[in-house]
């Protein structure tokens, strides 16, 4: 494990000394800021309409804007999930592919480091990177809790907010695991990023496909959909099945990565 | 291109075809023939590759790489198997923790209590196409009920387009949806139907099914009433009896002759079109029954006498002689009234919501007495009325126009009366309930298929017989929170969020890059 942590530290050090990571982190921050401000303006508009005409006169969909957590934070987490899907392939693509391109990967394999340490080290490094990227989004609920107010004092339902944030991190960890495996298969970073996105996007949207199928396929596809598993969590409901599902995807991706790294010894 | 290169390409294509055939079957075309064709073609191409490269593959199998490949496949499959098993267990035995303040994703305590009190297994069958916008919401609701009581509540979804026989059984038209809640096992299990229920309706349906199971519905006989079992070639109430059994009631005939009282286990008594007078002791038994908080459904017909006039007058109902007629709201015959004029009563609310027209051929109208004759504490309400153009035709065989001396205007066709009986000796229920309907032929088998009339009867029966009060659940919601930002505050927030924040990050990145570049 110590070796794995050393590799993770090295990965993080490399990432935070290259402009690439900062470009991705900035893009993530800028996009989520943009959506945060839009949601906030929308929330204010609907609240002002409600003060004028009453909630009963507004369309039924407006009810979500009665509460700051539902109206802004839950929706913001929904946007951040989609942004993570777009950003994470760019953070995971270089983990193995860059080493392969620079021919340092073969060197790494000749050192007395076990493949499992390499995989874990790379994954933990990638995890650190995505957690820092997503960590910045926590600024927005903190800002809201400063300016908003509710009858019980707190403007936000913090258990819901934090569970939603946990869902965002879990999703980031999953994207990283899938991206790590694909990065281990190729030496082209762009190909790795593109393939990761191509795998994650339909997987995320599987719920839409499930809706047009009949039981029991519907339940099966719906269960496999990342979107289905994440929706409950961002709204404040923790389910054991979601935790098991994401842990399974991460573990299986790491296993496949391990086998792909091991295969390099036999190539 | 050499032959083994061609077979290598064939092998790769074959593998693609083989692996993508499940997608063809389940996601894209859904055609078994197409998916099967792809799988067979793919397998043949892979086989061609294996045959032409068998030496290469044989050599590979003996080498270390072959062993690695085999162990990798086995390890991957074993881990995949364990993970799939874990996920199956997690799906079946799912645990939820609702972390919202108002517990908006949890069932109400009344629902949990109702589920805990279920003595027999309840089953929900949703007849709804998978593309319906409410499908997901309904599935989530059923899942919560099932997770709260996995032993007693289960559910299934059926696409009515794929099961036309089931849709026909519940008289479901194209595009309509229905949820059938049944209690117990088998096809004959008592059930009730609901259009897309929310938690409140679903819990009330479970309560109703639980309550009706113990209720006997007595059909009085001996005065020419319509029989529960029709004689060969004759009219009867076998469809109504079947419907009652399906909803969990126990219909039985009752002859009051020689009895001092209506049996104590009566949940409801029905008088379905009596044609001869009741004897004085029979009327006394009925009077005592209602006085103790009984429930009675009374159906009468034109040109009949049953001797129950004074008894009904106690509850504010007087049956008019003659036949109700309406020149405008009819089905082509002024004596076949078609009405959508409803009183403000729980019985007709669902009919009003669904826009039903009730049709009553040769009905008698009712006069509601609100003072004088009626017993103290009685309230009587109109349930169904004719249009304001109606009249009571006293000589229907000779005349089809209103004549002088005939009652004219909006006529009451169905009325409901109730009386507080909490203080009664030998009390049965807290409230006596009576529904009087000026037409009994709507109960007969040939007329039972007419949906609006059937709904009117079953709603009247439900209102009169309910021993269980319906529960009211407030839909849970998060508490209201407000945010009032001035234009200046909003401008500052916008600047900090969309400008300063990302620029600072970019600045840090630029500084790191420049410092490394200059090193």
């Amino acid at each position: 494990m110590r070796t794995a942590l050393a590799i993770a530290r090295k990965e993080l050090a490399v990432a935070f000394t290259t402009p690439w990571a900062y470009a991705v982190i900035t893009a993530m921050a800028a996009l989520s800021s943009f959506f945060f401000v839009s949601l906030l303006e929308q929330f204010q508009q609907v609240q002002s309409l409600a003060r004028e005409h009453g909630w009963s006169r507004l369309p039924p969909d407006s009810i979500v804007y009665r509460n700051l957590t539902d109206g802004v934070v839950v929706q913001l987490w929904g946007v951040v999930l989609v942004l993570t899907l777009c950003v994470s392939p760019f953070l995971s693509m270089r983990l193995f592919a860059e080493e392969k391109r620079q021919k340092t990967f073969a060197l790494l394999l000749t050192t007395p480091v076990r493949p499992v340490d390499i995989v874990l080290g790379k994954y933990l490094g990638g995890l650190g990177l995505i957690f820092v990227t997503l960590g910045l989004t926590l600024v927005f609920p903190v800002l809201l809790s400063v300016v908003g107010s509710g009858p019980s004092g707190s403007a936000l339902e913090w258990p819901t907010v934090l569970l939603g944030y946990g869902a965002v991190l879990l999703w980031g960890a999953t994207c990283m695991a899938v991206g790590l495996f694909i990065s281990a298969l190729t030496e082209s970073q762009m190909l790795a990023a593109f393939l990761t996105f191509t795998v994650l996007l339909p997987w995320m949207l599987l719920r839409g496909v499930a809706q047009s199928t009949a039981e029991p396929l519907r339940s099966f596809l719906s269960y496999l959909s990342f979107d289905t598993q994440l929706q409950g969590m961002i709204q404040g409901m923790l389910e054991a099945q979601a935790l098991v599902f994401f842990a399974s995807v991460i573990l299986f991706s790491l296993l496949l990565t391990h086998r792909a790294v091991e295969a390099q010894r036999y190539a | 291109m050499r032959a083994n290169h061609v077979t290598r390409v064939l092998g790769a294509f074959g593998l693609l075809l083989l692996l993508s055939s499940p997608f063809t079957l389940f996601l894209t075309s859904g055609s078994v023939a197409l998916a099967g064709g792809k799988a067979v073609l793919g397998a043949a191409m892979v086989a061609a590759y294996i045959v032409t490269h068998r030496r290469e593959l044989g050599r590979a199998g003996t080498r270390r790489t072959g062993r690695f490949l085999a162990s990798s496949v086995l390890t991957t499959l074993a881990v995949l198997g364990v993970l799939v098993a874990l996920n199956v267990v997690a799906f079946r035995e799912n645990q939820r923790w609702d972390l919202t303040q108002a517990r908006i994703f949890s069932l109400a305590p009344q629902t949990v209590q109702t589920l805990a009190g279920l003595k027999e297994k309840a089953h929900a069958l949703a007849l709804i196409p998978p593309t319906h916008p409410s499908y997901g919401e309904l599935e989530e609701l059923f899942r919560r009920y099932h997770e709260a009581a996995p032993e007693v509540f289960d559910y299934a979804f059926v696409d009515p387009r794929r099961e036309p026989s089931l849709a026909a059984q519940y008289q479901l038209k194209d595009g309509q949806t229905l949820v059938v809640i049944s209690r117990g096992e088998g096809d004959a299990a008592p059930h009730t139907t609901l259009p897309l229920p929310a938690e409140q309706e679903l819990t009330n349906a479970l309560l109703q099914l639980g309550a009706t199971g113990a209720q006997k519905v007595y059909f009085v006989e001996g005065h020419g009433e319509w029989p529960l079992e029709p004689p060969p070639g004759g009219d009867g109430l076998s469809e109504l009896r079947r419907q009652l059994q399906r909803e969990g009631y126990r219909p039985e005939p009752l002859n009051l002759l020689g009895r001092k009282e209506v049996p104590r286990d009566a949940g409801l008594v029905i008088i379905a079109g009596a044609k001869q007078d009741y004897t004085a002791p029979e009327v006394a038994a009925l009077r005592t029954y209602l006085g103790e908080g009984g429930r009675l459904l009374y159906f009468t017909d034109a040109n009949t006498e049953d001797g129950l006039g004074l008894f009904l007058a106690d509850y504010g109902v007087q049956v008019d002689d003659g036949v109700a007629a309406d020149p405008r709201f009819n089905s082509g015959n002024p004596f076949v009234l078609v009405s959508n004029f409803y009183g403000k009563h729980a019985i007709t609310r669902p009919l009003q919501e669904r826009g039903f027209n009730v049709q009553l051929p040769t009905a008698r109208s009712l006069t509601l007495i609100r003072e004088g004759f009626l017993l103290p504490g009685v309230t009587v309400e109109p349930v169904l009325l004719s249009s304001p153009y109606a009249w009571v035709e006293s000589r229907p065989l000779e005349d089809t126009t209103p004549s002088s001396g005939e009652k004219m205007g909006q006529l009451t066709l169905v009325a409901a009366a109730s009386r507080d009986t909490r203080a009664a000796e030998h009390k049965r229920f807290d409230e006596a309930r009576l529904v009087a309907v000026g037409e009994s032929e709507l109960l007969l088998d040939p007329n039972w298929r007419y949906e609006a009339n059937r709904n009117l009867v079953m709603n009247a029966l439900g209102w009169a017989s309910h021993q269980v009060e319906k529960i009211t659940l407030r839909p849970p919601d998060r508490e209201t929170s407000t945010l009032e930002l001035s234009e200046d505050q909003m401008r500052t927030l916008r600047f900090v969020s969309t400008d300063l924040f990302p620029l600072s990050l970019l600045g840090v990145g630029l500084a790191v890059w420049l410092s490394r570049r200059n090193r």
Side-chain angles (χ1 to χ4, degrees):
Chain A
M1 195 61 196
R2 200 176 294 166
T3 321
L5 287 174
I7 294 173
R9 264 198 302 275
K10 183 218 138 204
E11 279 299 322
L12 282 173
V14 170
F16 285 110
T17 47
T18 54
W20 179 241
Y22 287 98
V24 174
I25 291 171
T26 306
M28 179 75 181
L31 284 169
S32 43
S33 299
F34 171 76
F35 282 108
F36 168 68
V37 171
S38 302
L39 287 167
L40 203 56
E41 282 174 346
Q42 172 87 352
F43 182 81
Q44 277 215 294
Q45 274 172 16
V46 178
Q47 285 241 327
S48 133
L49 276 175
R51 274 194 290 274
E52 203 175 325
H53 305 290
W55 287 104
S56 56
R57 296 272 179 91
L58 299 186
D61 295 352
S62 313
I63 206 77
V64 77
Y65 294 102
R66 273 181 52 181
N67 180 278
L68 204 56
T69 309
D70 263 342
V72 179
V73 183
V74 169
Q75 300 200 54
L76 178 70
W77 291 150
V79 171
V80 171
L81 291 178
V82 178
L83 293 179
T84 308
L85 173 75
C86 303
V87 161
S88 63
F90 294 105
L91 294 175
S92 66
M93 66 183 188
R94 53 171 300 285
L95 289 170
F96 279 111
E98 174 71 0
E99 295 235 29
K100 282 186 176 178
R101 192 181 64 83
Q102 290 184 352
K103 311 291 179 201
T104 52
F105 187 56
L107 212 62
L108 187 65
L109 288 178
T110 58
T111 58
V113 179
R114 293 178 308 161
V116 68
D117 285 326
I118 299 175
V119 173
L120 277 181
K122 293 272 182 191
Y123 182 61
L124 289 176
L127 214 55
L129 197 55
I130 193 95
F131 279 10
V132 169
T133 311
L134 296 173
L136 296 169
T137 55
L138 205 55
V139 169
F140 305 120
V142 171
L143 262 176
L144 280 182
S145 70
V146 174
V147 292
S149 64
S152 55
S154 171
L156 295 176
E157 279 189 34
W158 274 103
T160 302
V161 173
L162 291 178
L163 184 62
Y165 182 64
V168 169
L169 293 185
L170 195 57
W171 172 231
T174 309
C175 291
M176 244 357 183
V178 174
L180 183 75
F181 167 56
I182 292 171
S183 176
L185 297 178
T186 174
E187 61 181 48
S188 162
Q189 291 191 41
M190 285 322 287
L191 186 64
F194 176 73
L195 283 179
T196 306
F197 185 72
T198 312
V199 168
L200 290 174
L201 182 68
W203 202 341
M204 181 81 167
L205 301 177
L206 209 54
R207 188 160 72 147
V209 179
Q211 277 167 359
S212 58
T213 59
E215 297 291 350
L217 184 64
R218 184 190 172 102
S219 290
F220 174 67
L221 290 179
S222 194
Y223 180 84
L224 286 185
S225 157
F226 286 134
D227 190 31
T228 310
Q229 301 286 6
L230 289 166
Q231 279 311 312
M233 279 179 88
I234 63 169
Q235 290 177 43
M237 188 173 56
L238 180 61
E239 289 190 82
Q241 68 168 37
L243 298 179
V244 173
F245 173 73
F246 282 108
S248 304
V249 175
I250 292 171
L251 267 175
F252 194 63
S253 300
L254 293 183
L255 171 78
L256 291 178
T257 314
H258 179 262
R259 300 320 290 174
V261 170
E262 188 88 20
Q264 304 295 320
R265 292 182 189 271
Y266 297 89
Chain B
M1 196 184 281
R2 290 208 320 244
N4 65 340
H5 282 169
V6 174
T7 49
R8 186 171 291 162
V9 174
L10 275 182
F13 270 114
L15 203 60
L16 270 179
L17 287 176
L18 202 59
L19 293 178
S20 66
S21 55
F23 288 89
T24 310
L25 183 62
F26 296 120
L27 301 180
T28 56
S29 83
S31 156
V32 179
L34 206 60
K38 273 179 76 176
V40 169
L41 186 65
M45 287 160 96
V46 170
Y49 169 77
I50 291 171
V51 169
T52 49
H53 292 80
R54 62 183 181 281
R55 280 190 188 163
E56 242 175 80
L57 290 171
R59 276 202 304 276
T62 58
R63 286 207 308 261
R64 262 180 0 116
T65 47
R67 282 202 299 276
F68 168 73
L69 195 67
S71 78
S72 289
V73 169
L74 283 177
T75 313
T76 309
L77 286 178
V79 172
L80 189 62
V82 171
L83 292 176
V84 167
L86 269 175
N87 278 272
V88 169
V89 173
F91 178 71
R92 288 198 178 150
E93 311 291 330
N94 188 28
Q95 291 290 314
R96 291 159 179 254
W97 295 275
D98 185 353
L99 301 186
T100 58
Q101 212 166 4
R103 299 282 176 270
I104 59 173
F105 299 112
S106 303
L107 294 172
Q110 295 98 314
T111 298
V112 176
Q113 208 177 341
T114 305
L115 286 168
L118 282 181
K119 290 185 182 69
E120 277 183 278
K121 204 166 183 175
H123 182 80
L125 173 71
L127 292 156
I128 177 170
T131 46
H132 195 280
S134 300
Y135 190 107
E137 212 174 303
L138 198 61
E139 190 183 27
E140 180 59 32
L141 182 70
F142 287 162
R143 252 189 98 183
R144 282 183 207 162
Y145 275 67
H146 176 69
E147 281 171 11
E151 302 297 321
V152 288
F153 185 91
D154 61 18
Y155 64 92
F157 280 82
V158 168
D159 184 349
R161 293 171 306 194
R162 288 174 185 234
E163 297 279 348
S165 58
L166 211 54
Q169 186 184 331
Y170 293 106
Q171 291 158 343
L172 213 60
K173 294 191 184 78
D174 199 26
Q176 279 186 336
T177 57
L178 191 72
V179 174
V180 184
I181 314 291
S182 53
R183 198 196 67 218
E185 310 277 354
D187 289 342
H191 69 260
T192 186
T193 56
L194 303 162
L196 297 179
E199 185 184 347
Q200 179 169 297
E201 289 85 55
L202 188 53
T203 302
N204 278 323
L206 292 174
L207 278 172
Q208 185 197 329
L209 272 178
T212 53
Q215 290 203 64
K216 273 192 182 174
V217 177
Y218 283 112
F219 285 76
V220 184
E221 59 178 22
H223 318 86
E225 293 90 347
W226 301 113
L228 270 176
E229 268 310 322
D235 288 320
L237 311 174
S238 52
E239 287 294 330
L240 170 61
R241 193 194 58 176
R242 241 192 299 278
Q243 174 100 28
L244 289 175
Q245 282 170 335
R246 275 202 298 264
E247 299 206 359
Y249 296 95
R250 285 152 63 196
E252 281 183 24
L254 171 70
N255 199 322
L256 287 171
L257 198 63
R259 281 183 175 271
K260 285 186 177 166
E261 64 166 19
V262 171
R264 295 297 301 179
D265 61 357
L268 181 75
V269 172
I270 297 180
I271 296 173
K275 291 164 192 74
Q276 287 160 16
D277 284 350
Y278 277 61
T279 61
E282 286 175 317
V283 176
L286 287 174
R287 195 171 266 128
T288 310
Y289 170 64
L290 274 194
E292 291 169 346
R295 279 87 194 272
L296 179 73
L297 248 63
Y298 170 81
F299 296 84
T300 186
D301 273 315
N303 305 317
T304 57
E305 273 300 327
D306 53 22
L308 293 173
L310 288 175
F311 161 65
L312 292 172
D314 285 351
Y315 289 86
V317 178
Q318 181 191 303
V319 183
D320 300 331
D321 286 332
V323 179
D326 192 325
R328 290 205 197 177
F329 289 79
N330 61 51
S331 67
N333 176 340
F335 300 121
V336 182
L337 270 58
V338 178
S339 169
N340 57 6
F341 297 89
Y342 299 111
K344 286 178 183 161
H345 201 278
I347 294 175
T348 48
R349 202 171 299 134
L351 287 126
Q352 215 159 3
E353 283 165 6
R354 294 179 70 183
F356 275 141
N357 297 332
V358 175
Q359 187 170 315
L360 301 179
T362 59
R364 286 174 81 173
S365 62
L366 311 169
T367 299
L368 305 190
I369 312 162
R370 292 209 163 86
E371 52 189 31
F373 281 103
L374 76 176
L375 294 169
V378 168
T379 50
V380 61
E381 304 287 336
V383 172
L384 179 75
L385 301 130
S386 70
S387 83
Y389 310 101
W391 82 96
V392 179
E393 180 52 60
S394 51
R395 295 172 299 145
L397 294 175
E398 299 155 26
D399 191 11
T400 55
T401 52
S403 318
S404 64
E406 288 176 336
K407 183 178 169 184
M408 294 184 72
Q410 194 162 32
L411 307 172
T412 301
L413 303 169
V414 179
S418 56
R419 180 185 170 205
D420 188 340
T421 51
R422 272 176 291 192
E425 208 179 332
H426 310 302
K427 183 187 79 172
R428 291 169 190 257
F429 301 118
D430 286 347
E431 192 178 65
R433 289 183 174 183
L434 164 76
V435 180
V437 183
E439 168 67 288
S440 74
E441 287 179 12
L442 76 172
L443 301 174
L444 295 179
D445 294 342
N447 303 328
W448 191 244
R449 64 175 180 274
Y450 190 62
E451 196 178 351
N453 289 9
R454 197 174 63 235
N455 271 271
L456 175 71
V457 173
M458 292 313 292
N459 291 351
L461 197 132
W463 177 78
S465 69
H466 274 176
Q467 296 173 50
V468 181
E469 286 302 316
K470 286 192 168 186
I471 59 159
T472 307
L473 303 178
R474 192 182 64 81
D477 202 359
R478 294 192 205 268
E479 69 173 21
T480 308
S481 48
T482 53
L483 181 73
E484 285 185 64
L485 296 175
S486 67
E487 194 48 49
D488 273 352
Q489 282 175 308
M490 195 64 212
R491 202 175 297 125
T492 313
L493 205 66
R494 198 182 295 125
F495 171 73
V496 171
S497 300
T498 56
D499 204 329
L500 199 64
F501 179 47
L503 264 184
S504 318
L505 289 170
L506 200 61
V508 173
L510 204 63
V512 170
W513 179 62
L514 285 174
S515 65
R516 277 181 61 81
R517 195 165 170 259
N518 295 334
R519 199 177 288 171

